[in-house]
Amino acid sequence: MFGSLLGGFMTEYFHPSYSFLLYSLFGLVVMLLGFNLDPEAEEDVTAAEDEKGRKRAFLEEVRHNLSQIRGAIKLPEVYQTLVFFLLVGLVEPSFGDFWYYFQLNVIKFTKFQYAMFGVLGYASLSLGTLYYNLYLKEHEVRTLLKWACYMGVVGSLLSLFFVLRWNLACGISDIFCIVFTDIVLGTLGLAYSQLPTMVLFAKITPSSIEATFFAFLTGTLNFSNTVMRPLVGSMLNDYFVGVTAEDLSQFYVLCLVSMATSLIPFTFLHLVPLKEEIKQWQEGREKVQEQ
């Protein structure tokens, strides 16, 4: 939240070079603090690991972790989940970069206003967490993700409504539209999608490799959301639409594409395992190991 406030102020009133300079100084501060870490604390950790017999050479540790990950991927609850999120990244493109230019170049929001929308997004994190803990944590993850897909369709419709400027025709201001979507859809998106996904990852992570495999699952999810979806969106735009930062007249076409593709995940939502399915698979493997 503090970063959004500072970033909005810097980009609004200072040359970008000064913003990058300040950003680099934070990295320098972290490095200097690292030099001041207590060496004895590191030695204590190393000694404790030696006592438990878990110290390995770096390459051996990497090979060991990769071997465990390969074995875990073969589990049905794991590979079905991975396939689901990779398919989402492949068939549901993201056009977030174009939204930035649309809000600044067409709507004429200032950079500081744009940063404040990010602050609202952080506020929605608290609301989404509270809502999930109060009302949703006992529900099936597949059910919550289905509702998240419904909200994705609604969000795409609202985006098209906003891009075509129909909100002004209805007497609804741009600021109200952005604030409403950031708070309401941001809160619901966290409660129905992000938190249930983390819970699902915790349930399907095999024992003895919890940290390694949970990091692998979250890394795959981030790869799908932050690499695959923007990449597919950029390719679709480059080859078929041609929207640029200077010419956003066809941006509504990308919104139509987003609305159409938001329906596709419904076709493979069954890949997300249910609680009972996960329990049966895990109990079955335990019985086999006992025999």
Side-chain angles (χ1 to χ4, degrees):
M1 186 177 293
F2 175 75
S4 295
L5 290 170
L6 181 60
F9 179 81
M10 291 289 295
T11 54
E12 181 70 24
Y13 298 106
F14 294 92
H15 191 274
S17 60
Y18 294 108
S19 300
F20 286 114
L21 175 62
L22 181 63
Y23 188 76
S24 64
L25 290 178
F26 286 121
L28 179 62
V29 170
V30 172
M31 182 186 70
L32 294 176
L33 292 175
F35 286 136
N36 292 323
L37 290 175
D38 186 5
E40 295 182 359
E42 184 177 355
E43 292 174 0
D44 291 339
V45 172
T46 304
E49 292 179 350
D50 286 339
E51 292 176 2
K52 297 179 181 179
R54 295 183 297 178
K55 184 178 180 181
R56 297 184 179 91
F58 175 73
L59 292 178
E60 182 184 350
E61 186 72 25
V62 171
R63 286 194 295 267
H64 177 71
N65 289 338
L66 290 177
S67 175
Q68 289 183 313
I69 290 174
R70 283 196 299 268
I73 289 177
K74 298 177 182 179
L75 304 178
E77 65 268 32
V78 173
Y79 69 71
Q80 287 187 195
T81 301
L82 290 174
V83 169
F84 172 78
F85 286 109
L86 290 175
L87 284 176
V88 170
L90 187 63
V91 304
E92 192 174 0
S94 171
F95 304 105
D97 291 340
F98 300 102
W99 270 109
Y100 173 81
Y101 292 109
F102 182 81
Q103 293 184 27
L104 266 62
N105 297 346
V106 177
I107 308 302
K108 302 300 182 182
F109 287 146
T110 66
K111 294 177 181 178
F112 186 76
Q113 286 176 318
Y114 185 84
M116 292 306 99
F117 299 148
V119 174
L120 291 177
Y122 286 115
S124 69
L125 295 179
S126 300
L127 296 175
T129 303
L130 180 63
Y131 180 66
Y132 175 81
N133 287 327
L134 289 176
Y135 303 109
L136 303 178
K137 62 181 180 180
E138 301 300 329
H139 289 69
E140 288 283 357
V141 174
R142 183 190 295 179
T143 302
L144 297 179
L145 290 179
K146 180 176 70 174
W147 281 104
C149 291
Y150 285 130
M151 285 183 282
V153 175
V154 173
S156 299
L157 287 171
L158 291 176
S159 297
L160 181 64
F161 180 82
F162 182 71
V163 168
L164 293 175
R165 318 304 290 127
W166 290 346
N167 61 301
L168 297 180
C170 296
I172 303 174
S173 68
D174 293 329
I175 292 290
F176 179 83
C177 279
I178 294 296
V179 170
F180 177 81
T181 53
D182 278 357
I183 291 294
V184 176
L185 293 182
T187 299
L188 295 178
L190 180 75
Y192 283 90
S193 179
Q194 297 180 44
L195 290 178
T197 299
M198 294 299 106
V199 171
L200 175 63
F201 286 173
K203 288 182 179 294
I204 66 176
T205 297
S207 59
S208 76
I209 56 169
E210 289 87 350
T212 300
F213 200 73
F214 191 84
F216 171 75
L217 291 173
T218 54
T220 303
L221 177 65
N222 290 332
F223 176 75
S224 173
N225 289 333
T226 63
V227 178
M228 292 182 66
R229 294 184 63 196
L231 179 62
V232 173
S234 179
M235 292 176 63
L236 287 174
N237 176 67
D238 291 343
Y239 285 106
F240 301 105
V241 184
V243 173
T244 64
E246 294 75 24
D247 182 12
L248 292 158
S249 59
Q250 298 298 308
F251 184 46
Y252 75 94
V253 177
L254 298 182
C255 293
L256 288 172
V257 172
S258 180
M259 183 175 62
T261 56
S262 65
L263 298 170
I264 300 178
F266 286 105
T267 61
F268 50 84
L269 194 60
H270 63 277
L271 290 172
V272 179
L274 300 173
K275 294 179 182 178
E276 187 61 30
E277 292 175 336
I278 297 173
K279 182 180 178 181
Q280 290 177 357
W281 286 326
Q282 292 176 344
E283 289 179 349
R285 288 193 295 270
E286 290 176 358
K287 291 180 180 179
V288 171
Q289 291 175 355
E290 291 175 357
Q291 295 175 356

